[in-house]
Amino acid sequence: MKNNNLILLLLAFCITTFTNGQHRKKNIEEKAPVEIAQSPKLVVGIVVDQMRYDYLTRFWNHYGEGGFKRLVNDGFNCKNNHFNYSPTSTGPGHASVYTGTTPATHGIIGNNWYDKETGEEVYCAGDDSYESVGTTSDAGKMSPHRMITTTITDQLRLHTQQRGKVIAVSLKDRGAVLPGGHTANAAYWFEGGNTGNWITSSFYMDALPQWVNSFNASDEVEAYKKPWNTLKPINTYVESGLDANSYEGVLDGETTNTFPHDLPTIWEANSQFELLRKTPYGNSITADFALAALEGEDLGADTITDFLAISFSSTDYVGHFFGVNSKEVQDTYLRLDQDLARILTVLDEKVGVGEYTVFLTADHAAINVPAYLADQKIPAGYLDMDGMREEFNEFLQYKYGTTDVVKNISNYQIFLDHKILTNLDIDLDDAEEEIAKELLTYEAVNQVYTGHQMWTNEYTEGIPYILQNGYNQKRSGDILFVPRPGFISYGRTGSTHGSPMIYDTHAPLLFYGKGIKQGSTVDRTEIPDIAPTIAALLGIAFPNGTTGKPIGEVLQ
């Protein structure tokens, strides 16, 4: 009996040991390997110039399934995405998207700004130390040298030991130069004028590659010299204002601002190929060239991640000229939707479904035409800058005995002459405060902050937070002023941007493709979050000035 019990115990022990061993083996086999980073063959960064977030929702029912809707439905939509700095303009926008920080750190404080060291106005991408490539004009004398931090594209190049390619394209030079970063293989932009060619700078190369020469020699750009009529019946464009109105510009050679726009007839009056910038055809040309770059540079052809940066600029030109409520803007976005669908289809074919990652955002948004808003009884209007300057000069003459204490007024900033203030024995902080108080008495000025406030305080919300993120200690002015909501310094037709107000800061942010979750969030995200999100996805170092944070909800 004892022997039988012993045998049963031994048998039970063996079974238990075997079972536990099988469980351990199964657990080891079922444990998924840790994926430390995603490796898409290609990252495509898309910046749509002057795109408001509500262009997604306003024109939603007109979009096809393959463009904006595909990115939203199959990707991740950040619905409450904002620029967290001002000025909200193209140069700072592109730099902030790609550096993961703001003008306070990357140094691009405007498209143009007053240089305190030279006493001259400088352009964000201008660089006379380089020559034009592909043209005899000065349009190619560009480089990213004024941007003092790295970009996500730079970090990709560094991480891959320069093996990952970076190509940037845009109608605007700054829309290609700044996203491309300091180490891009190439950045290309559209010359327009009487050539309609794509050009570059000797910063990148000494001669255009054959595929660019072939594109320039083809008839692809000339094919867009055709009338611009609406893509769909104009009576279905109920999401925009009347076609004939007083809030839009009139193209040279036309007598009305209504559809159709006969481009061949007004071609010469509008500097030939320059005219295409103010039409949706400029975006289509950009898409054509981007796809030629995809093919010509073999982007996404191997397992080393490449980067294609595309900026669509015609949306900005059309918005400035016709205004955000125009049928021209609506038609431009419906046609852009088709161009996006075309790009995604080619990416599927050339790179492979699930093998690439895309993000889409804007470089700023825009205000509705203040004249239109005022006619709707909404507080809005225009700054009388000449009248303000005259009144301001009277104040300076009375207070200091000279207007020379001010060196420059631009980008809603005032630059003081520190040497003259010292010679007059006037304390800089006192002068800043006295001038700020004077500006605050002007009807069209809503808020004023001094450089001293920007230096000594740490703002975390509201307008001062946005201003401080745009304030660069070495490059910005001594006094910053903010117009009343709805008020701009601009002509009475068309829309503009640049302010810290929400109509200029609320822009789309969509992620799609490899490593991206499907979903959306209404939590606040900010433009500097884009670069670190892509860096976290790729498992590479953040750009060296990064102040944004990865958006965790986006990543798988």
Side-chain angles (χ1 to χ4, degrees):
M1 189 69 179
K2 288 181 179 179
N3 288 340
N4 289 341
N5 288 341
L6 182 60
I7 291 171
L8 289 173
L9 286 171
L10 288 171
L11 183 60
F13 175 79
C14 290
I15 292 171
T16 302
T17 302
F18 177 81
T19 303
N20 289 339
Q22 288 294 100
H23 280 304
R24 284 195 297 271
K25 183 178 179 181
K26 187 177 181 181
N27 289 339
I28 292 171
E29 289 176 348
E30 289 181 353
K31 187 176 181 182
V34 173
E35 200 166 45
I36 196 167
Q38 296 282 352
S39 299
K41 292 181 178 180
L42 181 66
V43 176
V44 181
I46 299 174
V47 176
V48 182
D49 204 326
Q50 203 188 116
M51 184 174 181
R52 293 161 54 109
Y53 177 81
D54 63 355
Y55 287 159
L56 281 177
T57 57
R58 190 171 135 204
F59 307 139
W60 184 259
N61 291 333
H62 288 276
Y63 292 143
E65 297 301 318
F68 285 116
K69 283 187 176 181
R70 178 176 175 183
L71 296 177
V72 171
N73 292 333
D74 298 338
F76 197 95
N77 181 9
C78 299
K79 299 180 178 180
N80 187 22
N81 181 64
H82 293 271
F83 288 85
N84 62 340
Y85 66 86
S86 68
T88 42
S89 50
T90 298
H94 283 81
S96 298
V97 167
Y98 280 86
T99 63
T101 189
T102 66
T105 303
H106 62 59
I108 304 298
I109 64 170
N111 291 335
N112 302 274
W113 66 86
Y114 174 75
D115 188 305
K116 292 190 283 190
E117 292 185 6
T118 65
E120 298 177 349
E121 184 178 272
V122 297
Y123 176 57
C124 63
D127 192 344
D128 287 336
S129 62
Y130 292 96
E131 298 300 323
S132 300
V133 176
T135 178
T136 56
S137 75
D138 291 340
K141 291 186 173 183
M142 304 289 163
S143 87
H145 75 289
R146 299 191 192 281
M147 183 170 60
I148 59 176
T149 62
T150 63
T151 59
I152 184 65
T153 44
D154 286 327
Q155 298 302 150
L156 177 63
R157 292 278 286 157
L158 292 171
H159 186 81
T160 61
Q161 301 301 313
Q162 313 298 325
R163 292 177 296 169
K165 278 189 176 181
V166 170
I167 305 292
V169 302
S170 173
L171 291 184
K172 296 181 179 179
D173 47 53
R174 59 186 178 271
V177 170
L178 299 174
H182 303 275
T183 59
N185 297 85
Y188 300 103
W189 50 96
F190 188 66
E191 184 176 29
N194 62 0
T195 71
N197 285 340
W198 288 83
I199 64 172
T200 189
S201 163
S202 61
F203 176 83
Y204 306 100
M205 63 190 71
D206 296 325
L208 293 175
Q210 184 55 47
W211 70 265
V212 177
N213 286 326
S214 297
F215 188 93
N216 286 338
S218 72
D219 295 329
E220 291 202 42
V221 175
E222 282 79 357
Y224 291 102
K225 183 183 175 181
K226 59 184 180 180
W228 173 22
N229 209 340
T230 54
L231 182 66
K232 298 182 177 183
I234 196 168
N235 62 358
T236 66
Y237 285 19
V238 296
E239 298 79 11
S240 48
L242 296 174
D243 192 25
N245 62 74
S246 60
Y247 312 117
E248 303 175 10
V250 178
L251 292 167
D252 291 340
E254 291 191 332
T255 57
T256 176
N257 52 24
T258 59
F259 278 105
H261 299 288
D262 190 356
L263 305 191
T265 300
I266 62 174
W267 190 254
E268 296 298 328
N270 290 272
S271 301
Q272 301 179 43
F273 290 98
E274 285 297 304
L275 177 60
L276 297 178
R277 297 180 188 270
K278 294 178 182 176
T279 76
Y281 301 147
N283 289 334
S284 297
I285 293 166
T286 304
D288 294 342
F289 189 76
L291 292 176
L294 182 74
E295 180 77 22
E297 297 289 346
D298 291 325
L299 299 178
D302 56 31
T303 58
I304 301 172
T305 303
D306 296 324
F307 203 115
L308 177 59
I310 308 171
S311 178
F312 289 106
S313 304
S314 285
T315 42
D316 185 67
Y317 289 108
V318 174
H320 274 295
F321 198 82
F322 294 100
V324 305
N325 198 45
S326 65
K327 295 199 185 299
E328 282 79 3
V329 159
Q330 178 164 356
D331 194 67
T332 296
Y333 275 88
L334 301 196
R335 291 178 182 272
L336 175 60
D337 182 60
Q338 292 189 334
D339 286 324
L340 291 174
R342 181 160 60 101
I343 289 172
L344 293 172
T345 298
V346 174
L347 289 173
D348 287 343
E349 297 169 354
K350 297 288 186 181
V351 183
V353 176
E355 295 294 339
Y356 60 89
T357 304
V358 177
F359 70 80
L360 182 147
T361 189
D363 58 349
H364 52 73
I367 188 175
N368 214 323
V369 180
Y372 168 75
L373 295 176
D375 286 346
Q376 308 307 310
K377 300 181 181 179
I378 294 172
Y382 299 87
L383 278 71
D384 178 10
M385 294 302 292
D386 290 338
M388 285 176 58
R389 188 180 292 272
E390 183 178 346
E391 185 176 353
F392 184 57
N393 284 338
E394 290 178 0
F395 161 78
L396 294 176
Q397 191 69 43
Y398 173 78
K399 186 70 179 180
Y400 304 110
T402 177
T403 60
D404 291 341
V405 295
V406 172
K407 298 179 75 172
N408 181 268
I409 303 175
S410 57
N411 293 328
Y412 298 123
Q413 298 181 29
I414 296 177
F415 296 79
L416 301 179
D417 192 318
H418 295 192
K419 289 183 179 179
I420 289 181
L421 288 174
T422 299
N423 292 338
L424 294 173
D425 198 26
I426 298 172
D427 182 75
L428 175 61
D429 293 348
D430 291 341
E432 287 180 355
E433 187 173 348
E434 290 165 352
I435 292 173
K437 289 180 178 178
E438 168 67 15
L439 290 173
L440 203 53
T441 66
Y442 300 165
E443 182 180 3
V445 175
N446 198 51
Q447 296 183 50
V448 187
Y449 291 88
T450 66
H452 178 73
Q453 289 175 301
M454 295 290 106
W455 277 58
T456 56
N457 296 313
E458 184 175 353
Y459 299 106
T460 58
E461 60 184 5
I463 298 298
Y465 164 73
I466 294 173
L467 292 177
Q468 191 168 52
N469 283 331
Y471 181 85
N472 185 279
Q473 290 183 336
K474 286 193 172 185
R475 296 181 176 180
S476 296
D478 298 289
I479 299 112
L480 297 77
F481 61 97
V482 181
R484 286 175 55 187
F487 278 68
I488 60 174
S489 176
Y490 199 66
R492 296 187 66 83
T493 59
S495 296
T496 193
H497 48 86
S499 81
M501 307 309 296
I502 201 162
Y503 43 73
D504 284 338
T505 70
H506 191 195
L509 176 55
L510 308 176
F511 292 91
Y512 170 87
K514 187 168 185 177
I516 303 300
K517 286 181 181 177
Q518 186 179 7
S520 65
T521 182
V522 292
D523 291 341
R524 181 180 174 95
T525 59
E526 296 181 335
I527 288 295
D529 297 335
I530 298 171
T533 300
I534 296 298
L537 172 78
L538 300 177
I540 66 176
F542 291 8
N544 64 13
T546 297
T547 52
K549 299 177 181 178
I551 308 169
E553 304 99 305
V554 167
L555 303 178
Q556 287 181 353

PDB file of all heavy atoms in Angstrom, residues 437-456:
ATOM      1  N   LYS A 437       3.082 102.112 -22.320  1.00  0.00           N
ATOM      2  CA  LYS A 437       1.885 102.791 -21.820  1.00  0.00           C
ATOM      3  C   LYS A 437       1.286 103.704 -22.884  1.00  0.00           C
ATOM      4  O   LYS A 437       0.064 103.824 -22.996  1.00  0.00           O
ATOM      5  CB  LYS A 437       2.225 103.581 -20.563  1.00  0.00           C
ATOM      6  CG  LYS A 437       2.495 102.712 -19.338  1.00  0.00           C
ATOM      7  CD  LYS A 437       2.836 103.554 -18.117  1.00  0.00           C
ATOM      8  CE  LYS A 437       3.043 102.676 -16.887  1.00  0.00           C
ATOM      9  NZ  LYS A 437       3.430 103.481 -15.681  1.00  0.00           N
ATOM     10  N   GLU A 438       2.149 104.350 -23.667  1.00  0.00           N
ATOM     11  CA  GLU A 438       1.656 105.198 -24.752  1.00  0.00           C
ATOM     12  C   GLU A 438       0.916 104.367 -25.791  1.00  0.00           C
ATOM     13  O   GLU A 438      -0.189 104.717 -26.223  1.00  0.00           O
ATOM     14  CB  GLU A 438       2.832 105.931 -25.397  1.00  0.00           C
ATOM     15  CG  GLU A 438       2.519 106.624 -26.718  1.00  0.00           C
ATOM     16  CD  GLU A 438       1.557 107.796 -26.595  1.00  0.00           C
ATOM     17  OE1 GLU A 438       1.316 108.286 -25.467  1.00  0.00           O
ATOM     18  OE2 GLU A 438       1.012 108.231 -27.633  1.00  0.00           O
ATOM     19  N   LEU A 439       1.500 103.264 -26.204  1.00  0.00           N
ATOM     20  CA  LEU A 439       0.872 102.417 -27.222  1.00  0.00           C
ATOM     21  C   LEU A 439      -0.482 101.890 -26.769  1.00  0.00           C
ATOM     22  O   LEU A 439      -1.410 101.729 -27.567  1.00  0.00           O
ATOM     23  CB  LEU A 439       1.789 101.237 -27.574  1.00  0.00           C
ATOM     24  CG  LEU A 439       3.072 101.561 -28.340  1.00  0.00           C
ATOM     25  CD1 LEU A 439       3.948 100.326 -28.458  1.00  0.00           C
ATOM     26  CD2 LEU A 439       2.749 102.109 -29.726  1.00  0.00           C
ATOM     27  N   LEU A 440      -0.587 101.616 -25.496  1.00  0.00           N
ATOM     28  CA  LEU A 440      -1.830 101.048 -24.969  1.00  0.00           C
ATOM     29  C   LEU A 440      -2.994 102.038 -25.045  1.00  0.00           C
ATOM     30  O   LEU A 440      -4.154 101.642 -24.947  1.00  0.00           O
ATOM     31  CB  LEU A 440      -1.614 100.596 -23.522  1.00  0.00           C
ATOM     32  CG  LEU A 440      -2.564  99.514 -22.978  1.00  0.00           C
ATOM     33  CD1 LEU A 440      -2.589  98.290 -23.890  1.00  0.00           C
ATOM     34  CD2 LEU A 440      -2.157  99.112 -21.572  1.00  0.00           C
ATOM     35  N   THR A 441      -2.697 103.321 -25.251  1.00  0.00           N
ATOM     36  CA  THR A 441      -3.769 104.315 -25.378  1.00  0.00           C
ATOM     37  C   THR A 441      -4.378 104.332 -26.781  1.00  0.00           C
ATOM     38  O   THR A 441      -5.424 104.943 -26.989  1.00  0.00           O
ATOM     39  CB  THR A 441      -3.249 105.732 -25.054  1.00  0.00           C
ATOM     40  OG1 THR A 441      -2.291 106.140 -26.044  1.00  0.00           O
ATOM     41  CG2 THR A 441      -2.603 105.781 -23.678  1.00  0.00           C
ATOM     42  N   TYR A 442      -3.744 103.648 -27.740  1.00  0.00           N
ATOM     43  CA  TYR A 442      -4.240 103.659 -29.107  1.00  0.00           C
ATOM     44  C   TYR A 442      -5.390 102.659 -29.247  1.00  0.00           C
ATOM     45  O   TYR A 442      -5.306 101.524 -28.776  1.00  0.00           O
ATOM     46  CB  TYR A 442      -3.134 103.311 -30.102  1.00  0.00           C
ATOM     47  CG  TYR A 442      -1.957 104.273 -30.073  1.00  0.00           C
ATOM     48  CD1 TYR A 442      -0.754 103.941 -30.668  1.00  0.00           C
ATOM     49  CD2 TYR A 442      -2.053 105.527 -29.446  1.00  0.00           C
ATOM     50  CE1 TYR A 442       0.326 104.816 -30.652  1.00  0.00           C
ATOM     51  CE2 TYR A 442      -0.983 106.402 -29.413  1.00  0.00           C
ATOM     52  CZ  TYR A 442       0.205 106.047 -30.011  1.00  0.00           C
ATOM     53  OH  TYR A 442       1.262 106.917 -29.982  1.00  0.00           O
ATOM     54  N   GLU A 443      -6.435 103.066 -29.908  1.00  0.00           N
ATOM     55  CA  GLU A 443      -7.675 102.294 -29.947  1.00  0.00           C
ATOM     56  C   GLU A 443      -7.479 100.891 -30.531  1.00  0.00           C
ATOM     57  O   GLU A 443      -8.071  99.921 -30.053  1.00  0.00           O
ATOM     58  CB  GLU A 443      -8.729 103.046 -30.763  1.00  0.00           C
ATOM     59  CG  GLU A 443     -10.074 102.341 -30.805  1.00  0.00           C
ATOM     60  CD  GLU A 443     -11.109 103.097 -31.618  1.00  0.00           C
ATOM     61  OE1 GLU A 443     -10.755 104.153 -32.192  1.00  0.00           O
ATOM     62  OE2 GLU A 443     -12.258 102.629 -31.694  1.00  0.00           O
ATOM     63  N   ALA A 444      -6.658 100.764 -31.565  1.00  0.00           N
ATOM     64  CA  ALA A 444      -6.519  99.477 -32.243  1.00  0.00           C
ATOM     65  C   ALA A 444      -5.531  98.541 -31.561  1.00  0.00           C
ATOM     66  O   ALA A 444      -5.375  97.391 -31.977  1.00  0.00           O
ATOM     67  CB  ALA A 444      -6.088  99.693 -33.690  1.00  0.00           C
ATOM     68  N   VAL A 445      -4.853  99.020 -30.504  1.00  0.00           N
ATOM     69  CA  VAL A 445      -3.888  98.193 -29.771  1.00  0.00           C
ATOM     70  C   VAL A 445      -4.568  97.596 -28.556  1.00  0.00           C
ATOM     71  O   VAL A 445      -5.178  98.315 -27.758  1.00  0.00           O
ATOM     72  CB  VAL A 445      -2.650  99.008 -29.354  1.00  0.00           C
ATOM     73  CG1 VAL A 445      -1.720  98.168 -28.479  1.00  0.00           C
ATOM     74  CG2 VAL A 445      -1.905  99.499 -30.594  1.00  0.00           C
ATOM     75  N   ASN A 446      -4.454  96.284 -28.390  1.00  0.00           N
ATOM     76  CA  ASN A 446      -5.158  95.602 -27.308  1.00  0.00           C
ATOM     77  C   ASN A 446      -4.271  95.279 -26.112  1.00  0.00           C
ATOM     78  O   ASN A 446      -4.704  95.379 -24.967  1.00  0.00           O
ATOM     79  CB  ASN A 446      -5.779  94.304 -27.832  1.00  0.00           C
ATOM     80  CG  ASN A 446      -6.867  93.772 -26.934  1.00  0.00           C
ATOM     81  OD1 ASN A 446      -7.777  94.512 -26.580  1.00  0.00           O
ATOM     82  ND2 ASN A 446      -6.794  92.499 -26.572  1.00  0.00           N
ATOM     83  N   GLN A 447      -3.040  94.870 -26.382  1.00  0.00           N
ATOM     84  CA  GLN A 447      -2.106  94.525 -25.311  1.00  0.00           C
ATOM     85  C   GLN A 447      -0.703  94.945 -25.715  1.00  0.00           C
ATOM     86  O   GLN A 447      -0.367  94.960 -26.904  1.00  0.00           O
ATOM     87  CB  GLN A 447      -2.114  93.015 -25.035  1.00  0.00           C
ATOM     88  CG  GLN A 447      -3.432  92.466 -24.520  1.00  0.00           C
ATOM     89  CD  GLN A 447      -3.349  90.980 -24.205  1.00  0.00           C
ATOM     90  OE1 GLN A 447      -2.457  90.521 -23.511  1.00  0.00           O
ATOM     91  NE2 GLN A 447      -4.286  90.208 -24.729  1.00  0.00           N
ATOM     92  N   VAL A 448       0.128  95.257 -24.710  1.00  0.00           N
ATOM     93  CA  VAL A 448       1.520  95.625 -24.949  1.00  0.00           C
ATOM     94  C   VAL A 448       2.384  94.974 -23.883  1.00  0.00           C
ATOM     95  O   VAL A 448       2.017  94.933 -22.700  1.00  0.00           O
ATOM     96  CB  VAL A 448       1.728  97.161 -24.906  1.00  0.00           C
ATOM     97  CG1 VAL A 448       3.158  97.508 -25.319  1.00  0.00           C
ATOM     98  CG2 VAL A 448       0.729  97.886 -25.795  1.00  0.00           C
ATOM     99  N   TYR A 449       3.541  94.459 -24.303  1.00  0.00           N
ATOM    100  CA  TYR A 449       4.500  93.860 -23.370  1.00  0.00           C
ATOM    101  C   TYR A 449       5.892  94.368 -23.705  1.00  0.00           C
ATOM    102  O   TYR A 449       6.202  94.655 -24.866  1.00  0.00           O
ATOM    103  CB  TYR A 449       4.463  92.327 -23.447  1.00  0.00           C
ATOM    104  CG  TYR A 449       3.184  91.748 -22.904  1.00  0.00           C
ATOM    105  CD1 TYR A 449       2.070  91.586 -23.737  1.00  0.00           C
ATOM    106  CD2 TYR A 449       3.070  91.385 -21.566  1.00  0.00           C
ATOM    107  CE1 TYR A 449       0.884  91.079 -23.248  1.00  0.00           C
ATOM    108  CE2 TYR A 449       1.885  90.865 -21.070  1.00  0.00           C
ATOM    109  CZ  TYR A 449       0.796  90.718 -21.911  1.00  0.00           C
ATOM    110  OH  TYR A 449      -0.386  90.215 -21.415  1.00  0.00           O
ATOM    111  N   THR A 450       6.708  94.472 -22.692  1.00  0.00           N
ATOM    112  CA  THR A 450       8.066  94.970 -22.881  1.00  0.00           C
ATOM    113  C   THR A 450       9.066  93.824 -22.932  1.00  0.00           C
ATOM    114  O   THR A 450       8.798  92.717 -22.454  1.00  0.00           O
ATOM    115  CB  THR A 450       8.463  95.913 -21.738  1.00  0.00           C
ATOM    116  OG1 THR A 450       8.536  95.153 -20.516  1.00  0.00           O
ATOM    117  CG2 THR A 450       7.451  97.033 -21.582  1.00  0.00           C
ATOM    118  N   GLY A 451      10.230  94.114 -23.487  1.00  0.00           N
ATOM    119  CA  GLY A 451      11.311  93.138 -23.482  1.00  0.00           C
ATOM    120  C   GLY A 451      11.691  92.755 -22.061  1.00  0.00           C
ATOM    121  O   GLY A 451      12.026  91.598 -21.785  1.00  0.00           O
ATOM    122  N   HIS A 452      11.628  93.725 -21.137  1.00  0.00           N
ATOM    123  CA  HIS A 452      11.949  93.445 -19.733  1.00  0.00           C
ATOM    124  C   HIS A 452      10.996  92.392 -19.174  1.00  0.00           C
ATOM    125  O   HIS A 452      11.422  91.472 -18.450  1.00  0.00           O
ATOM    126  CB  HIS A 452      11.852  94.736 -18.909  1.00  0.00           C
ATOM    127  CG  HIS A 452      12.129  94.538 -17.448  1.00  0.00           C
ATOM    128  ND1 HIS A 452      13.396  94.308 -16.952  1.00  0.00           N
ATOM    129  CD2 HIS A 452      11.294  94.528 -16.373  1.00  0.00           C
ATOM    130  CE1 HIS A 452      13.346  94.167 -15.641  1.00  0.00           C
ATOM    131  NE2 HIS A 452      12.079  94.299 -15.261  1.00  0.00           N
ATOM    132  N   GLN A 453       9.708  92.497 -19.517  1.00  0.00           N
ATOM    133  CA  GLN A 453       8.740  91.490 -19.070  1.00  0.00           C
ATOM    134  C   GLN A 453       9.047  90.124 -19.679  1.00  0.00           C
ATOM    135  O   GLN A 453       8.919  89.099 -19.016  1.00  0.00           O
ATOM    136  CB  GLN A 453       7.324  91.933 -19.442  1.00  0.00           C
ATOM    137  CG  GLN A 453       6.801  93.093 -18.624  1.00  0.00           C
ATOM    138  CD  GLN A 453       5.453  93.563 -19.115  1.00  0.00           C
ATOM    139  OE1 GLN A 453       5.300  93.962 -20.274  1.00  0.00           O
ATOM    140  NE2 GLN A 453       4.444  93.494 -18.253  1.00  0.00           N
ATOM    141  N   MET A 454       9.428  90.112 -20.945  1.00  0.00           N
ATOM    142  CA  MET A 454       9.761  88.848 -21.610  1.00  0.00           C
ATOM    143  C   MET A 454      10.984  88.192 -20.952  1.00  0.00           C
ATOM    144  O   MET A 454      11.076  86.966 -20.874  1.00  0.00           O
ATOM    145  CB  MET A 454      10.035  89.073 -23.096  1.00  0.00           C
ATOM    146  CG  MET A 454       8.849  89.546 -23.915  1.00  0.00           C
ATOM    147  SD  MET A 454       7.565  88.269 -24.148  1.00  0.00           S
ATOM    148  CE  MET A 454       6.289  88.849 -23.035  1.00  0.00           C
ATOM    149  N   TRP A 455      11.924  89.014 -20.499  1.00  0.00           N
ATOM    150  CA  TRP A 455      13.150  88.491 -19.872  1.00  0.00           C
ATOM    151  C   TRP A 455      12.910  87.980 -18.457  1.00  0.00           C
ATOM    152  O   TRP A 455      13.518  86.990 -18.038  1.00  0.00           O
ATOM    153  CB  TRP A 455      14.210  89.592 -19.818  1.00  0.00           C
ATOM    154  CG  TRP A 455      15.000  89.778 -21.065  1.00  0.00           C
ATOM    155  CD1 TRP A 455      14.511  90.076 -22.305  1.00  0.00           C
ATOM    156  CD2 TRP A 455      16.416  89.694 -21.213  1.00  0.00           C
ATOM    157  NE1 TRP A 455      15.531  90.184 -23.208  1.00  0.00           N
ATOM    158  CE2 TRP A 455      16.719  89.953 -22.570  1.00  0.00           C
ATOM    159  CE3 TRP A 455      17.463  89.433 -20.338  1.00  0.00           C
ATOM    160  CZ2 TRP A 455      18.020  89.949 -23.062  1.00  0.00           C
ATOM    161  CZ3 TRP A 455      18.767  89.445 -20.835  1.00  0.00           C
ATOM    162  CH2 TRP A 455      19.036  89.691 -22.175  1.00  0.00           C
ATOM    163  N   THR A 456      12.064  88.649 -17.698  1.00  0.00           N
ATOM    164  CA  THR A 456      11.995  88.390 -16.261  1.00  0.00           C
ATOM    165  C   THR A 456      10.833  87.507 -15.826  1.00  0.00           C
ATOM    166  O   THR A 456      10.839  86.992 -14.708  1.00  0.00           O
ATOM    167  CB  THR A 456      11.902  89.727 -15.489  1.00  0.00           C
ATOM    168  OG1 THR A 456      10.770  90.473 -15.961  1.00  0.00           O
ATOM    169  CG2 THR A 456      13.162  90.548 -15.687  1.00  0.00           C
TER     170      THR A 456
END
